[in-house]
Amino acid sequence: MTELDELYQEVILEHSKAPRNYRRPEATNRSAEGYNPLCGDRFTVFLDVEGDAIRDIGFQGSGCAISRASASMMTQSVKGKSKEEAARLFEEFHRLVTGGAKTPEERTILGKLAAFAGVSKFPVRVKCATLAWHTMQSALEGKQDVVSTE
Amino acid sequence: MTRLAHHPISEPLQEASAQEASAPSAGFPDIERIRRDFPILGQRVHGKRLVYLDNGATSQKPWAVIRAITRYYEQDNANIHRGVHTLSVRATEAHDAARRTVQSFLHAADAREMVFVRGATEAINLVAQSYGRAHVAAGDDVLITAMEHHSNIVPWQMLCEEKQARLRVAPINDRGELLMEEFERLIGPRTRIIAVTHVSNALGTVNPLRRIIHLAHQQNVPVLVDGAQAAPHLPVDVQALDCDFYVFSGHKVYGPTGIGALYGKAALLDSMPPYQGGGDMIRSVTFEKTTYNELPFKFEAGTPDIAGAVGLGAALEYVSELGMDYVAAHGQDLLTYATEAVGAIPGVRLIGTASQRAGVLSFVSDHVHPHDLGTILDREGVAIRTGHHCAQPVMDRFGIPATARASFAVYNTREDIDALVEGIAKAHEVFG
């Protein structure tokens, strides 16, 4: 498989074309906006948080295939998780796309998100893959500023 | 307050069109020879022939430039204007010669009208901070257009904020052309300066400069022309244009980064306060009083980028030897070919379809985001720019976050554009 095929895995292409949870949940009580000025990607992540639990999550906005698929798969991965689990997942995801988490064992926690391993061969695309995650983190922390990847 | 004298326009007001430039004579200059002049083009990227189509961001450098800089450091390096020793005299002469080359490139009347700067951005900042701060007051207007690069927006915004002046923006139509009636209407008694690009970096639009300058001068308003994207593609004659300021960056015209030039009419430059203080820009200094140096040194504080100037001189000599008419005709041929080829791809929409364009083809695809396209093309050895091109208001105008942009140079061929088209097709396959 070429590096390009590894980057644009079938599951990533599929999510980029038909993103899941592309909506604003009715019970949204936290949200944040993320922006990558380099390429113009811009997403809003909406959360319905109760206590420590992420009851619902959605996103809207525009961006490249990697950022869109990443946002879509992130919403699936963190829905129903605790804030702490979501933070842990982001940590592992970040390790994956920056060239860490090389063994299958290390990737267990990531599940389907392991499809993003190919991003590590394209350092300029790491920001695309992590934009929605940074934005979610910001929403969880209740920050008001637009998250920028720059 | 210094106001401009009325500038009579003796030339007819038709625009010099790049398309009118004479076609290259058969076999000259030889494109393969030109390509060999640029050592970087010989390499392979991801195993593919390098197809460099990001010339709007920066161009590659010919041997003539690389060797001129090396030779300067190997043989002539010294500081200028202060030593009696041989090397200082040589360095000073090389620097002066480079200035005369820039003068001749822009067809300016006098070398004193050429100020070396870091690039177009610094030149615009110089004019905004020096001319602008001296002439723009509360309630005054600065007029720009909706197709400007950030570097021809932000310096004026900063000035207007400081002076409580208004930044007026002349709109463009859906093809990316300046709406001349609106533009004319926006020039009023409070307009103190107009800053307009010669060629749009995001759309490729060539602005009708003579008409713009004529309208401005009818109301005694000076015009600054941002020539960053024009200097590599079109013959520029500041006297024929009658512009008051013209700025460009060396690195987009095959020169090194970090050097560019500001042209200003001598009377204007003379009347302007210095931009920065320091060495070289003064005639005499006591703690009570400093007398400023003559033009252009008044605006060149500190030891300049001497090697950069030498490199820029070599670059402009290189393109002048090719002939700017040839350069323009070659660029127009590539743009026409690319417009047809890329425009014919299903799902692709061209952004910027002005009747007069140069150097740049901007487009979006229904199937693939510019950023993904850029990555896929890179794996094919094709380098393009993706993003907002430092022209976010232009992106907003067209309701898009980004475009893909292919921009051309003297060493590009139709084969390069074929590679671009194949790469787009491949991206469409991936995302089909």
Side-chain angles (χ1 to χ4, degrees), chain A residues 26-94:
Chain A
E26 262 178 45
T28 294
N29 53 20
R30 311 254 177 105
S31 69
E33 195 186 343
Y35 179 47
N36 181 347
L38 186 74
C39 52
D41 290 359
R42 192 184 284 274
F43 290 108
T44 307
V45 172
F46 307 98
L47 291 162
D48 170 11
V49 181
E50 189 179 73
D52 195 42
I54 299 171
R55 287 206 310 193
D56 201 359
I57 178 168
F59 80 101
Q60 287 178 335
S62 70
C64 64
I66 301 298
S67 63
R68 218 159 45 229
S70 171
S72 170
M73 290 167 72
M74 173 189 81
T75 60
Q76 288 190 317
S77 303
V78 304
K79 196 169 171 176
K81 296 269 192 341
S82 71
K83 285 198 240 176
E84 200 176 305
E85 285 168 325
R88 172 82 209 288
L89 210 48
F90 181 20
E91 211 173 287
E92 288 305 314
F93 182 77
H94 196 272

Side-chain angles (χ1 to χ4, degrees), chain A residues 3 8 17 35 37 65 122 125, chain B residues 371-372 375 379 388 392 432:
Chain A
E3 286 180 347
Y8 293 112
K17 283 175 198 156
Y35 179 47
F122 297 81
R125 305 304 298 273
Chain B
H371 213 176
D372 297 309
T375 291
R379 293 286 148 155
H388 54 60
Q392 284 177 343

Side-chain angles (χ1 to χ4, degrees), chain B residues 160-426:
Chain B
C160 288
E161 203 166 300
E162 180 192 323
K163 297 290 184 178
Q164 295 182 303
R166 280 193 306 181
L167 186 65
R168 310 298 299 267
V169 183
I172 57 177
N173 64 21
D174 289 342
R175 309 204 309 168
E177 294 161 328
L178 189 59
L179 293 168
M180 286 306 293
E181 279 178 20
E182 298 283 319
F183 175 80
E184 187 173 358
R185 210 173 45 76
L186 284 165
I187 308 173
R190 302 305 300 263
T191 310
R192 292 291 171 260
I193 188 163
I194 294 170
V196 57
T197 194
H198 193 167
V199 173
S200 157
N201 75 305
L203 303 167
T205 309
V206 181
N207 271 318
L209 280 188
R210 293 204 191 196
R211 174 115 190 93
I212 286 169
I213 292 162
H214 175 67
L215 289 171
H217 286 177
Q218 277 185 327
Q219 311 230 31
N220 291 331
V221 180
V223 178
L224 175 143
V225 178
D226 174 359
Q229 292 294 333
H233 297 294
L234 305 174
V236 177
D237 184 331
V238 291
Q239 292 187 82
L241 287 172
D242 198 28
C243 57
D244 302 280
F245 301 102
Y246 196 98
V247 310
F248 76 98
S249 296
H251 71 94
K252 294 190 203 284
V253 202
Y254 314 106
T257 52
I259 186 85
L262 160 69
Y263 158 81
K265 284 179 178 166
L268 276 171
L269 291 176
D270 255 333
S271 75
M272 285 158 54
Y275 171 52
Q276 294 175 329
D280 256 344
M281 56 76 70
I282 45 85
R283 179 167 288 142
S284 70
V285 176
T286 67
F287 286 114
E288 287 72 39
K289 171 94 182 137
T290 292
T291 313
Y292 301 126
N293 205 338
E294 62 192 17
L295 292 179
F297 310 110
K298 182 171 89 174
F299 293 106
E300 295 180 353
T303 297
D305 184 353
I306 307 166
V310 168
L312 175 58
L316 299 183
E317 274 168 19
Y318 178 82
V319 285
S320 298
E321 271 167 37
L322 292 177
M324 282 310 289
D325 286 342
Y326 166 76
V327 170
H330 178 69
Q332 209 60 44
D333 175 67
L334 291 175
L335 184 57
T336 304
Y337 184 75
T339 301
E340 280 171 24
V342 176
I345 302 172
V348 166
R349 179 161 61 102
L350 302 179
I351 303 296
T353 49
S355 63
Q356 297 284 321
R357 287 185 298 131
V360 164
L361 188 72
S362 229
F363 58 95
V364 292
S365 162
D366 292 340
H367 308 301
V368 54
H369 188 278
H371 213 176
D372 297 309
L373 178 61
T375 291
I376 291 169
L377 287 174
D378 177 58
R379 293 286 148 155
E380 298 296 309
V382 180
I384 62 159
R385 172 85 184 268
T386 62
H388 54 60
H389 318 297
C390 293
Q392 284 177 343
V394 174
M395 301 296 114
D396 294 344
R397 169 65 179 74
F398 286 90
I400 47 179
T403 75
R405 181 188 73 178
S407 50
F408 312 113
V410 289
Y411 39 71
N412 288 128
T413 60
R414 289 185 171 199
E415 203 183 349
D416 290 346
I417 291 156
D418 293 341
L420 169 69
V421 170
E422 281 163 29
I424 298 170
K426 182 151 188 171

